[in-house]
Amino acid sequence: MHDTVELRLPDPLLAKRIAESTQTRDSAVLPTARIGEWLHGRRQVQTQRVTRMPLTGLRGWSFRDDTGDLVHASGKFFAVEGLAVSTDQGPVGHWTQPIVNQAEIGVLGIAVKEIDGVLHCLMQAKVEPGNINGVQLSPTVQATKSNYTRVHGGAEVPYLEHFRDPEPGSVIADVLQSEQGAWFFRKRNRNMVVEVGPDVEAADGFCWLTLGQVLDLLAVDNLVSMDARTVLSCVPFGTAGPRSAADGFACALALSCDPASGSLHTTTDVRSWMTGVLSSVEVSARRVPLNTVTGWSRTDWEIRHDRGLHFSVIGVDVEARGREVAAWQQPLVRPHGIGIAALLVRRFGGVLHALVNARIEPGYLNAVELAPTVQCTPSNYAELPPGSLPPFLEVVRGRPDGAVRFEAELSEEGGRFHHARTRYSVIEVGRGVADTEPPGYRWLAPHQLAELLAHSHYVNVQARTLVACLVGLR
Amino acid sequence: MHDTVELRLPDPLLAKRIAESTQTRDSAVLPTARIGEWLHGRRQVQTQRVTRMPLTGLRGWSFRDDTGDLVHASGKFFAVEGLAVSTDQGPVGHWTQPIVNQAEIGVLGIAVKEIDGVLHCLMQAKVEPGNINGVQLSPTVQATKSNYTRVHGGAEVPYLEHFRDPEPGSVIADVLQSEQGAWFFRKRNRNMVVEVGPDVEAADGFCWLTLGQVLDLLAVDNLVSMDARTVLSCVPFGTAGPRSAADGFACALALSCDPASGSLHTTTDVRSWMTGVLSSVEVSARRVPLNTVTGWSRTDWEIRHDRGLHFSVIGVDVEARGREVAAWQQPLVRPHGIGIAALLVRRFGGVLHALVNARIEPGYLNAVELAPTVQCTPSNYAELPPGSLPPFLEVVRGRPDGAVRFEAELSEEGGRFHHARTRYSVIEVGRGVADTEPPGYRWLAPHQLAELLAHSHYVNVQARTLVACLVGLR
């Protein structure tokens, strides 16, 4: 195989192809004006009935006698266990909480192909039991490891073969990324973008959209799913290559996505700063039996925080009708209150920068990841004095007219979370905001976030959604 | 601070400066011919008496009644605990073992400065109780977090201030890297290279050496310490920049260290391959009480494997005389047998490539890291049939004359390990060896290893030593 050797170099045109697809805001394949109609059609076909039911009655699920953990009879899927957290950071040094433990790494994959010379993404209309509105626009493939390695017979996941053993040169992104570290224990999914051949067609329930079309749809409340957003954020938008206006290529963020534009801090200094944070914080998160968790109670219907904060674990009965009829029962995490995830952005030397926060969450494998400027659920702070509100929340709330570059309510993963809604926003500020970055905060250019997103454990799932929103700005 | 904004770009001359220092094999500051004499002098001054003693008598250390863990009275330093490992890989699906748990992240830092226009590294003659030969050549700074954050009063660590809050632009490398995953539970150290100002001088016991001088010293048995080797490997040898022969700059590995030369696999494909391995393996490593570990026994003098394999935990009494007199007692891990760490290298299209192995070790935070082609302790295989020997071990043992590009016996960290010796080698092969890479193996160019080494959890500590050996090849 290596006798006739041809050394490979990164695709010099990839940056331009990505930028072109990003700037193509409509397509003849599925015109933007007709996407609503297509989605309406899918909502007629892919219906789902979700009914709350007692946790104690969930078919296939039970509370273990010894630990109190909520587990599935197969030992697969996921479990609700306890977590004991100790840290030298923040006002609370020690606490216990329920946590979802899902050891398997799944695949979230978007297939792309060139149509009329422009990259299109194969998106799927997918319904999940926790979705507030049934169908959302999802990646080509969402598969568990059991699907992926074909351990089980089961129905085959369409298009999975393109992600199982991709051809050399066809992979555009392939990286493990964390999910919510407040709700999941070390959950990671494999985020993949793979280019497929011209013969791959969109099956029923799938459609081809340009990157620009998908990024525009982010502005529609609860439409583009969390899984789609995290995969999109891993597209290497910040790769060096020909795409600037000088190449005859207009792009609102061309400058900000081009490493040659520079940045306030070099990426070496940014990584050094993160290494310093990781070296200095102490966070210990240890799995414990759910029945040793304090401050939380279990009833037949839910596991809930004694003061009604944070989230509950509830049970649902699901009947879904799509390509096949399916019925099952499962637990879901139901967050209390609507979250806020806001990114302050500011131009330095003409290059947009985003203010990110090195944030500790107990479920992270690596303790700290970069989060949006503000990430919180305000209702959790209702009992606390105003001074304990997160930094920059007042800036986000008091934003002047015209400063809002992006705003939409988007959903977290409906396969695990029940009506988990977050208000995402990108707000442009000027001189006077974080002129000197407070400890734990740094201004990063989009090309730096894109560079970090080629690797695991740098950028958290909420920030990844906002990276997608950022590169989608017109 | 950001009002007068000047955006930063990576130092365009860094690659050339690193290459120049690498190619400078002698220096007027401490000529290579006089290093032996300098070291001899240090060995006269920095003496140490290490005596074995019972574990049960170690001052400040005790076995906990409830768990049997070997712990220090302060709760600091490290502990010897148990680990329960389950995996779907390899011949043994489940085992328990003792493991060293050291939660604190320390700093390993090398200060560099330009002398006569060439970067020199500030190296330290340092003695450790586990060293086979007393003094080894070590980084400028080895500091625990307690030193680093100045929690304790204690003696100040010289030069630490240059690593605590480095100036923007002065950081050349700063990354958390793992250590031995068979002996340590998720141990990581902060590997730093920082450029300091002209006023920084070498104190007693320190010396300035070019990168080329230090890399040449790797060929001396048990001289350059593990801590020095891991930091050296994180120097960005593979950064793009002017350094090729066309720039009038001769360098044996110029081509192989230049990303523009290309490689057998793109780095995107290499990362995708690693992501695939991480997604498919199942490894669970759980801390358990040491007294629940099976197949190991504890006597007053040691914790040992029942068949004498792997390693023992022993106790030592230490009296050290250096800048100050110190005496203490501590446990050390004493490996049984001399390890082998060998890297097969082969030229493809004129570019050297190293055959790396995606290796599972139970103590890794991220389950899998890239290891040398062969990494094993042959004596552990004595009882097993020949067919169970690691792949490529026979290639390493049967290497033809002239194929050995590097070979030396080097020590693992003498602060935790007692006489832990590994035979490191770089062996050049040609057509016929791994023409088709077996599962779990890939040929990578040095510039790719260097690129991965800017991030955590890609390249293991043994492979990092061999990366340093590789870039030091004349």
Side-chain angles (χ1 to χ4, degrees):
Chain A
M1 140 201 199
H2 293 155
D3 286 352
T4 56
V5 164
E6 195 184 329
L7 297 187
R8 293 170 185 273
L9 285 165
D11 176 2
L13 291 179
L14 183 62
K16 190 180 177 104
R17 294 168 76 212
I18 289 169
E20 275 176 353
S21 180
T22 304
Q23 288 305 301
T24 303
R25 301 295 190 161
D26 208 340
S27 167
V29 184
L30 178 57
T32 299
R34 289 188 45 210
I35 295 174
E37 182 190 328
W38 180 79
L39 282 165
H40 182 74
R42 295 315 309 170
R43 291 204 168 102
Q44 302 303 309
V45 181
Q46 298 174 233
T47 60
Q48 187 173 261
R49 199 180 52 77
V50 180
T51 319
R52 274 197 67 173
M53 60 171 291
L55 288 171
T56 44
L58 290 174
R59 188 169 55 243
W61 294 81
S62 62
F63 290 98
R64 279 181 57 149
D65 286 340
D66 50 351
T67 59
D69 294 345
L70 180 57
V71 298
H72 191 260
S74 67
K76 298 275 175 186
F77 301 110
F78 60 94
V80 181
E81 306 179 350
L83 195 72
V85 187
S86 296
T87 175
D88 62 349
Q89 306 292 308
V92 184
H94 180 79
W95 73 90
T96 56
Q97 66 165 84
I99 196 105
V100 177
N101 186 14
Q102 179 169 357
E104 282 198 356
I105 295 174
V107 173
L108 308 177
I110 295 181
V112 299
K113 77 167 179 180
E114 274 199 7
I115 305 177
D116 299 333
V118 176
L119 287 177
H120 283 64
C121 305
L122 186 57
M123 303 302 291
Q124 178 186 183
K126 195 167 197 309
V127 67
E128 295 284 3
N131 284 356
I132 197 166
N133 55 349
V135 165
Q136 297 196 3
L137 203 59
S138 301
T140 316
V141 160
Q142 295 176 212
T144 64
K145 193 192 163 192
S146 308
N147 299 136
Y148 193 68
T149 54
R150 288 195 171 167
V151 172
H152 304 312
E156 224 169 276
V157 177
Y159 304 106
L160 182 56
E161 65 274 19
H162 300 288
F163 298 89
R164 213 182 293 109
D165 197 14
E167 290 285 305
S170 71
V171 173
I172 292 174
D174 187 0
V175 58
L176 298 187
Q177 297 291 5
S178 69
E179 298 191 356
Q180 288 81 357
W183 298 333
F184 280 121
F185 184 69
R186 299 187 179 169
K187 164 116 184 258
R188 299 187 294 171
N189 270 324
R190 185 176 181 183
N191 287 241
M192 301 181 79
V193 180
V194 173
E195 188 166 358
V196 297
D199 52 314
V200 175
E201 304 286 354
D204 205 31
F206 291 80
C207 68
W208 292 106
L209 297 172
T210 65
L211 278 169
Q213 286 181 297
V214 182
L215 293 172
D216 272 349
L217 292 174
L218 287 168
V220 181
D221 282 359
N222 300 303
L223 176 54
V224 180
S225 80
M226 183 191 96
D227 291 347
R229 299 188 315 261
T230 173
V231 177
L232 282 172
S233 76
C234 296
V235 170
F237 292 103
T239 312
R243 63 145 145 249
S244 69
D247 295 298
F249 192 74
C251 167
L253 281 183
L255 203 59
S256 303
C257 283
D258 187 349
S261 303
S263 46
L264 208 49
H265 310 283
T266 64
T267 304
T268 298
D269 282 342
V270 169
R271 284 190 281 97
S272 177
W273 164 67
M274 283 191 75
T275 304
V277 173
L278 275 164
S279 301
S280 64
V281 302
E282 278 176 30
V283 187
S284 145
R286 200 163 39 86
R287 287 158 62 193
V288 296
L290 183 57
N291 59 20
T292 65
V293 167
T294 56
W296 295 72
S297 309
R298 188 182 114 191
T299 68
D300 282 354
W301 282 80
E302 62 181 341
I303 301 164
R304 68 186 289 277
H305 186 260
D306 289 345
R307 294 203 310 283
L309 303 178
H310 307 304
F311 60 85
S312 299
V313 179
I314 63 167
V316 292
D317 176 87
V318 188
E319 268 186 44
R321 179 178 293 275
R323 284 175 301 275
E324 52 189 315
V325 177
W328 71 93
Q329 302 179 336
Q330 70 167 91
L332 286 173
V333 169
R334 188 172 74 85
H336 295 185
I338 297 178
I340 288 182
L343 202 56
L344 297 184
V345 297
R346 179 174 161 183
R347 277 172 209 279
F348 295 97
V351 174
L352 212 62
H353 284 67
L355 188 62
V356 294
N357 174 218
R359 181 183 176 93
I360 293 176
E361 292 191 10
Y364 291 151
L365 182 65
N366 206 17
V368 176
E369 297 193 6
L370 298 180
T373 319
V374 175
Q375 176 190 321
C376 68
T377 302
S379 56
N380 286 335
Y381 293 83
E383 299 177 13
L384 299 175
S388 51
L389 286 176
F392 299 107
L393 179 59
E394 289 312 313
V395 179
V396 169
R397 284 175 162 162
R399 72 263 179 124
D401 288 346
V404 180
R405 300 293 309 273
F406 175 90
E407 185 159 40
E409 182 187 288
L410 301 173
S411 296
E412 310 308 322
E413 227 283 302
R416 294 291 170 273
F417 305 121
H418 183 262
H419 297 188
R421 299 145 63 193
T422 307
R423 196 92 204 146
Y424 284 93
S425 60
V426 176
I427 294 165
E428 187 158 354
V429 297
R431 195 171 290 188
V433 178
D435 288 339
T436 300
E437 296 141 327
Y441 293 82
R442 281 289 186 283
W443 290 108
L444 264 64
H447 62 79
Q448 296 183 294
L449 289 163
E451 188 184 339
L452 296 176
L453 277 165
H455 307 277
S456 307
H457 310 135
Y458 281 117
V459 184
N460 83 352
V461 65
Q462 292 88 351
R464 293 203 300 279
T465 282
L466 287 163
V467 166
C469 300
L470 197 56
V471 296
L473 290 182
R474 282 172 183 262
Chain B
M1 139 202 199
H2 293 154
D3 286 351
T4 57
V5 164
E6 196 184 327
L7 297 187
R8 291 170 185 272
L9 286 166
D11 177 2
L13 290 180
L14 183 62
K16 190 181 177 103
R17 295 168 76 212
I18 289 169
E20 275 176 352
S21 180
T22 304
Q23 288 305 301
T24 302
R25 302 294 189 159
D26 208 339
S27 167
V29 185
L30 177 56
T32 299
R34 289 186 45 208
I35 295 174
E37 183 190 328
W38 180 79
L39 282 164
H40 181 75
R42 296 316 309 170
R43 291 204 168 103
Q44 303 303 309
V45 182
Q46 298 175 230
T47 60
Q48 187 171 258
R49 198 180 52 77
V50 180
T51 319
R52 275 196 65 173
M53 60 170 292
L55 287 171
T56 43
L58 290 176
R59 187 169 56 245
W61 294 83
S62 63
F63 291 98
R64 279 180 59 148
D65 286 340
D66 49 353
T67 59
D69 294 345
L70 179 57
V71 298
H72 191 261
S74 68
K76 298 275 176 185
F77 300 108
F78 59 94
V80 182
E81 305 180 350
L83 196 72
V85 187
S86 296
T87 175
D88 62 349
Q89 306 291 308
V92 183
H94 180 79
W95 73 91
T96 56
Q97 66 165 85
I99 195 103
V100 177
N101 185 14
Q102 178 169 358
E104 282 197 356
I105 295 175
V107 172
L108 308 177
I110 295 182
V112 300
K113 78 167 178 179
E114 275 198 8
I115 305 178
D116 298 333
V118 176
L119 287 176
H120 282 65
C121 306
L122 187 57
M123 303 302 291
Q124 179 186 183
K126 196 166 196 309
V127 66
E128 295 285 3
N131 284 357
I132 196 166
N133 55 350
V135 165
Q136 298 197 0
L137 204 60
S138 301
T140 316
V141 159
Q142 294 175 212
T144 65
K145 191 191 163 193
S146 309
N147 297 136
Y148 193 67
T149 54
R150 289 195 170 170
V151 172
H152 303 312
E156 224 170 276
V157 177
Y159 303 108
L160 182 56
E161 65 273 21
H162 300 289
F163 299 89
R164 213 182 292 110
D165 197 13
E167 289 285 305
S170 71
V171 173
I172 292 174
D174 187 359
V175 59
L176 298 186
Q177 296 291 4
S178 69
E179 298 191 357
Q180 287 82 359
W183 299 332
F184 280 122
F185 184 70
R186 300 187 179 168
K187 164 116 182 260
R188 300 187 294 173
N189 269 325
R190 184 175 182 184
N191 287 241
M192 301 180 79
V193 180
V194 173
E195 189 166 359
V196 297
D199 52 313
V200 175
E201 303 288 353
D204 204 31
F206 291 79
C207 68
W208 292 105
L209 297 172
T210 66
L211 278 170
Q213 286 181 297
V214 182
L215 294 172
D216 273 350
L217 292 174
L218 287 168
V220 180
D221 282 359
N222 300 303
L223 177 54
V224 180
S225 80
M226 183 190 97
D227 291 347
R229 301 191 310 265
T230 173
V231 177
L232 282 172
S233 76
C234 296
V235 170
F237 292 102
T239 313
R243 63 145 141 245
S244 69
D247 295 299
F249 193 73
C251 167
L253 281 182
L255 202 61
S256 304
C257 283
D258 187 350
S261 304
S263 46
L264 208 49
H265 310 284
T266 64
T267 303
T268 299
D269 282 342
V270 168
R271 284 191 281 97
S272 177
W273 163 67
M274 283 192 75
T275 304
V277 172
L278 275 164
S279 302
S280 64
V281 303
E282 278 176 29
V283 187
S284 144
R286 199 163 42 85
R287 287 159 63 192
V288 296
L290 184 57
N291 59 20
T292 66
V293 167
T294 57
W296 295 71
S297 308
R298 188 183 113 193
T299 68
D300 282 355
W301 282 78
E302 62 181 342
I303 301 163
R304 66 186 292 276
H305 186 260
D306 289 344
R307 294 202 311 283
L309 303 178
H310 309 303
F311 61 86
S312 299
V313 179
I314 64 167
V316 292
D317 176 87
V318 188
E319 267 186 44
R321 178 179 295 273
R323 283 175 302 275
E324 52 189 313
V325 177
W328 71 93
Q329 302 179 336
Q330 70 167 91
L332 287 172
V333 170
R334 189 172 72 86
H336 295 184
I338 297 177
I340 288 182
L343 202 55
L344 297 185
V345 297
R346 180 175 162 183
R347 277 173 208 278
F348 294 97
V351 174
L352 212 63
H353 283 66
L355 188 62
V356 294
N357 173 218
R359 180 184 176 92
I360 294 176
E361 293 191 9
Y364 291 152
L365 183 65
N366 206 18
V368 175
E369 297 193 5
L370 298 180
T373 320
V374 175
Q375 177 190 320
C376 68
T377 303
S379 56
N380 286 335
Y381 293 84
E383 299 177 12
L384 300 175
S388 51
L389 287 175
F392 300 107
L393 179 59
E394 289 312 313
V395 180
V396 169
R397 284 174 161 163
R399 73 263 179 123
D401 288 347
V404 180
R405 299 293 310 272
F406 175 90
E407 185 159 39
E409 182 188 288
L410 301 173
S411 296
E412 309 309 322
E413 225 284 302
R416 294 292 171 271
F417 306 120
H418 183 262
H419 298 189
R421 298 146 64 192
T422 307
R423 196 89 205 149
Y424 285 93
S425 61
V426 176
I427 294 165
E428 186 159 354
V429 296
R431 196 171 290 189
V433 178
D435 288 340
T436 300
E437 296 140 325
Y441 291 83
R442 282 289 185 283
W443 290 108
L444 265 64
H447 62 78
Q448 296 182 295
L449 289 163
E451 187 184 339
L452 296 176
L453 277 164
H455 307 278
S456 306
H457 310 135
Y458 281 116
V459 183
N460 82 351
V461 66
Q462 292 87 351
R464 293 203 300 279
T465 282
L466 286 163
V467 165
C469 299
L470 197 58
V471 296
L473 291 183
R474 281 172 183 257

